[in-house]
């Protein structure tokens, strides 16, 4: 009774210091289940305090005021859900839990709302199976000291974890250069594609033919090698990519046809989740929210979510604008874009906003998360991230466990590595279960801003809008919001521009796997993604000066496995081996891996390559076998098919009249790039 009288008679704002100490003592005693706290030994108090402190997962630095995230144990859930039902019946905000020890704390810190992080929906059964129903948001007086409130709540036995609601940050500066047509360099005549998108020739990141109008330092083949991949697949509308970013302009003329549409809008989201949902503002998707700052500057949305979405799947072959990596062939076959909005105007999201978006994507059919956000914390290991961000971790693992694509067990989370030039990936991208993407420019060298090193998995074009002769045209061209920039298209740069290239390549791979009836585990598919690359490290010599001066040797072996290659991924799915060669170099390729250990001693019958493919790669002398090796010289970057035939078991094939061996043959894909492979050309 004495303790309860103290709770009733004092508030956080009066006699602050003495009251705080007493509340903490009372809380710890309740946790220790003692009937007379003043008889408890100092050792017991210390032990209770240690147990309580261990429940607090992270630091209050960069945390939102007036809220904490709590995970309750199994015993607490029935009381919480009964209380929620009572409050729902009166249509009032839930402020008490029905748990006596907890409610005393809630009263003391003036809690104004208790609600589940993940609302009850159609996937409630698997939500509960994953334990996500145990997470709640507690909102209270913003004047309350966060650390004090966390310690008080951690002393409640029914709470298993307390997490501060940390701010997530954009991994981009939002700078957009509206598209303006310009005198065409070599690109218009050099870029060949079956698609009729009029500005595809400015998208060097898809097809790079060293156009001087882009950059005098541009390197042919410094792209994602997608032109020939499009001949095999442009996408599949069963594959859904969730854009966890600013809102996507779903009415954009080059995006609308590829937007995901919810067949059954959700009651828990007010039936407003038509093409996704605005988790930042808890309402319909927005993309043009601007605010006037105290200094008079205008800030807010930047078209970033729309730009990213366009790289993944702007509608291809529709006669307007630009192309997307997995935007289809003009026959309604592009992958679908789901807008999971977490940034709005000048506001940054919290842990629970991000986690809700991730779970929504999982529950509504997405198989790829496209993410351009990061944490402020400098995590250096999976354990640190798991301990500090348990809510987000559980949401990510939930997403990775869902089988939303018939070609893949689980989901893929793809993140930008970060733009701070640090020798380590940002998190969550640095988490070993996610894919972290670094950035290169049209020169096939690291972009001056890219993070690199530990935790970085693979490189993709992210562009550089300063420092090259072509200016902003060396950036990434994609869709933007005319309400903000005056144009439906524009250039941006960043690892968050590299990231959607990777998401698009992954989506193309899943699309092709569906067409081939193939099925992969997460680990299998990620392994194929990260090995479908072209070598870039051998070019890292000396220095580079664009937006900043960097020493290229510092990046060797630290940009990931190499530069992503869409065509190679499709070849892996198809089962066709790739032979990678450097241009303008006579290559001798041993075929032991494909024809067995005696490949150099076999009798080779023929090397077949069409005249069209030879011209495509600039081959003047037909490839042939020489001392058991394939001899080939390509002068142009590109891809082509070649077939090699040999005799197994003899020097000639057997026939009705002659004893001999069996004719065997293998078809290969030749990948010719100016950026040659140090590994002898083998995948």
């Amino acid at each position: 009774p004495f303790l309860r009288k103290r709770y009733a008679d004092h508030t956080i704002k009066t006699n602050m210091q003495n009251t705080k100490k007493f509340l903490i003592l009372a809380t710890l005693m309740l946790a220790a289940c003692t009937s007379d706290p003043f008889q408890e030994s100092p050792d017991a108090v210390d032990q209770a305090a240690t147990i309580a402190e261990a429940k607090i997962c992270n630091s209050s630095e960069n945390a939102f005021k007036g809220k904490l995230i709590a995970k309750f144990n199994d015993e607490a859930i029935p009381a919480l859900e009964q209380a929620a039902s009572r409050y729902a019946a009166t249509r009032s905000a839930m402020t008490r839990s029905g748990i006596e020890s907890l409610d005393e704390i809630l009263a003391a810190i003036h809690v104004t709302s208790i609600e589940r992080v993940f609302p009850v929906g159609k996937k409630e059964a698997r939500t509960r199976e994953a334990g996500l129903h145990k997470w709640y948001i507690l909102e209270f007086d913003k004047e309350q000291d966060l650390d004090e409130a966390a310690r008080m709540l951690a002393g409640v036995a029914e709470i298993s974890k307390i997490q501060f609601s940390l701010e997530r940050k954009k991994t981009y500066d939002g700078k957009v250069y509206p598209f303006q047509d310009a005198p065409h360099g070599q690109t218009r005549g050099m870029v060949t594609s079956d698609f009729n998108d009029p500005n595809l020739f400015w998208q060097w990141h898809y097809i790079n033919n060293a156009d001087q109008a882009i950059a005098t330092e541009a390197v042919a083949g410094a792209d994602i090698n997608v032109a020939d991949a499009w001949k095999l697949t442009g996408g599949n509308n069963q594959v859904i990519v969730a854009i966890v970013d600013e809102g996507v302009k779903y009415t954009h003329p080059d995006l609308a046809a590829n937007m995901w549409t919810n067949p059954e809008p959700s009651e828990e989201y007010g039936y407003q989740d038509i093409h996704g949902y605005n988790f930042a503002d808890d309402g319909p998707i927005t993309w043009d929210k601007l605010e006037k700052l105290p200094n008079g500057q205008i800030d807010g949305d930047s078209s970033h979510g729309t730009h990213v979405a366009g790289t993944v799947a702007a509608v291809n072959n529709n006669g307007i604008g630009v192309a997307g990596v997995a935007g289809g062939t003009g026959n309604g076959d592009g992958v679908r874009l789901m807008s999971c909005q977490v940034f709005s105007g000048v506001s940054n999201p919290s842990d629970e906003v991000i986690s809700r978006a991730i779970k929504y994507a999982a529950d509504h059919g997405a198989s790829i998360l496209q993410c351009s956000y990061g944490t402020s914390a400098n995590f250096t290991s999976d354990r640190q991230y798991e301990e500090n961000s348990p809510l987000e971790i559980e949401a990510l693992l939930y997403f990775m466990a869902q089988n939303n694509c018939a070609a893949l067990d689980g989901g893929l989370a793809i993140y930008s590595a970060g733009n701070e030039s640090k020798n380590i990936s940002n998190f969550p991208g640095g988490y070993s279960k996610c894919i972290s993407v670094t950035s290169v420019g049209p020169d096939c060298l690291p972009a001056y801003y890219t993070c690199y090193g530990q935790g970085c998995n693979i490189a993709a074009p992210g562009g550089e809008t300063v420092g090259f002769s072509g200016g902003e045209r060396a950036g990434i061209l994609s869709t933007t919001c005319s309400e903000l920039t005056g144009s439906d298209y524009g250039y941006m740069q960043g690892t968050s521009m590299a990231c959607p290239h990777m998401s698009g390549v992954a989506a193309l791979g899943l699309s092709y796997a569906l067409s081939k009836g193939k099925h992969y585990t997460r680990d299998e598919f990620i392994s194929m993604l990260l090995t479908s690359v072209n070598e870039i490290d051998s070019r890292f010599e000396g220095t580079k000066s664009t937006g900043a001066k960097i020493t290229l040797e510092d990046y060797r072996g630290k940009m990931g496995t190499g530069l992503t290659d869409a065509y190679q991924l499709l070849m892996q799915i198809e089962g066709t081996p790739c032979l990678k060669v450097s241009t303008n170099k006579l290559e001798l390729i041993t075929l032991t891996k494909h024809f067995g250990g005696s490949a150099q001693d076999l009798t080779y019958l023929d090397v077949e390559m069409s005249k069209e493919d030879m011209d495509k790669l600039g081959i003047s002398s037909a490839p042939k076998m020489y001392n058991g090796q394939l001899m080939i010289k390509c002068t142009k970057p590109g891809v082509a098919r070649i077939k090699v035939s040999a005799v197994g078991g003899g020097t000639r094939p057997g026939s009705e009249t002659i004893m001999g061996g069996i004719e065997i043959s293998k078809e290969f894909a030749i990948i010719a790039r100016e950026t040659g492979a140090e590994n002898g050309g083998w995948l």
Side-chain angles (χ1 to χ4, degrees), residues 260-305:
W260 170 77
T261 300
N262 191 353
E264 296 181 34
S266 312
E267 180 181 3
E268 62 268 31
Y269 296 110
Y271 304 103
Q272 295 178 321
D273 55 329
I274 310 301
H275 302 294
Y277 193 68
N278 181 347
F279 297 91
D281 298 327
D282 194 20
I285 297 165
T286 61
W287 55 80
D288 58 355
K289 191 173 179 180
L290 297 174
E291 298 179 33
K292 190 173 184 178
L293 303 180
N295 62 8
Q297 291 184 336
I298 302 298
D299 196 9
D301 290 337
S302 66
S303 295
H304 193 276

Side-chain angles (χ1 to χ4, degrees), residues 17-40:
Q17 297 301 319
N18 289 336
T19 305
K20 285 180 181 177
K21 292 177 182 177
F22 199 84
L23 286 170
I24 294 167
L25 176 62
T27 302
L28 295 176
M29 293 307 100
L30 287 167
C33 300
T34 177
S35 59
D36 188 356
F38 295 104
Q39 294 180 5
E40 196 69 31

Side-chain angles (χ1 to χ4, degrees), residues 401-431:
Q402 306 312 318
N403 300 328
N404 288 331
C405 176
L408 180 69
D409 285 339
L412 306 173
I414 303 178
Y415 282 82
S416 51
N419 302 325
E420 299 83 16
S421 306
K422 295 187 300 185
N423 188 13
I424 191 170
S425 172
N426 274 341
F427 274 73
Y431 187 49

Side-chain angles (χ1 to χ4, degrees), residues 129-384:
E129 184 180 352
L132 294 180
H133 66 299
K134 300 177 185 178
W135 286 99
Y136 281 76
I137 293 285
L138 311 178
E139 296 191 1
F140 47 84
D141 187 345
K142 289 187 177 181
E143 297 302 313
Q144 166 65 40
D145 183 279
L146 272 178
D147 291 295
E148 211 70 72
R151 285 192 288 269
M152 292 159 63
L153 289 165
V156 177
E158 288 82 1
I159 290 179
S160 59
K161 289 180 182 178
I162 287 288
Q163 181 182 332
F164 295 101
S165 180
L166 299 184
E167 184 179 35
R168 291 294 189 255
K169 62 178 183 177
K170 298 176 181 178
T171 55
Y172 51 89
D173 61 12
K175 177 65 175 175
V176 184
Y177 296 86
F179 174 75
Q180 295 179 341
D181 209 354
H184 307 306
Q186 301 172 24
T187 305
R188 179 180 284 280
M190 296 176 67
V191 169
T192 57
S193 170
D194 294 334
F195 297 160
N196 62 10
D197 307 272
N199 295 315
L200 173 59
F201 61 85
W202 285 118
Q203 294 182 284
W204 60 265
H205 29 106
Y206 300 161
I207 307 169
N208 191 340
N209 285 311
D211 184 4
Q212 301 299 288
I214 300 293
T216 55
E217 301 89 346
V219 172
D223 53 38
I224 64 169
N225 198 17
V226 74
D228 282 279
W230 283 334
K231 297 179 187 300
L232 301 175
T233 182
N236 186 307
N237 55 30
Q238 296 178 49
V239 178
I240 300 171
V241 180
I243 309 297
V244 184
D245 207 297
E246 290 181 7
V248 176
K249 182 179 177 179
Y250 52 79
T251 59
H252 193 290
D254 225 357
L255 295 176
N258 280 347
M259 290 301 302
W260 170 77
T261 300
N262 191 353
E264 296 181 34
S266 312
E267 180 181 3
E268 62 268 31
Y269 296 110
Y271 304 103
Q272 295 178 321
D273 55 329
I274 310 301
H275 302 294
Y277 193 68
N278 181 347
F279 297 91
D281 298 327
D282 194 20
I285 297 165
T286 61
W287 55 80
D288 58 355
K289 191 173 179 180
L290 297 174
E291 298 179 33
K292 190 173 184 178
L293 303 180
N295 62 8
Q297 291 184 336
I298 302 298
D299 196 9
D301 290 337
S302 66
S303 295
H304 193 276
T306 300
H307 194 276
V308 163
T311 299
V312 175
V315 182
N316 293 337
N317 208 29
N318 62 348
I320 63 170
V322 297
V325 179
T329 63
N331 297 305
D333 53 353
V335 304
R336 293 302 182 245
L337 299 163
M338 176 191 293
S339 181
C340 292
Q341 184 178 354
V342 295
F343 291 103
S344 176
V346 298
S347 65
N348 286 334
S350 58
D351 284 82
E352 68 273 15
V353 167
I354 293 288
S355 299
R356 283 170 175 159
I358 291 171
K359 184 177 184 296
Y360 181 93
D363 286 344
H364 290 82
S367 51
I368 297 172
L369 286 180
Q370 159 56 43
C371 305
S372 297
Y373 71 88
T375 67
S376 298
N378 294 315
F379 298 127
T380 58
S381 70
D382 280 6
R383 177 178 293 181
Q384 285 182 353

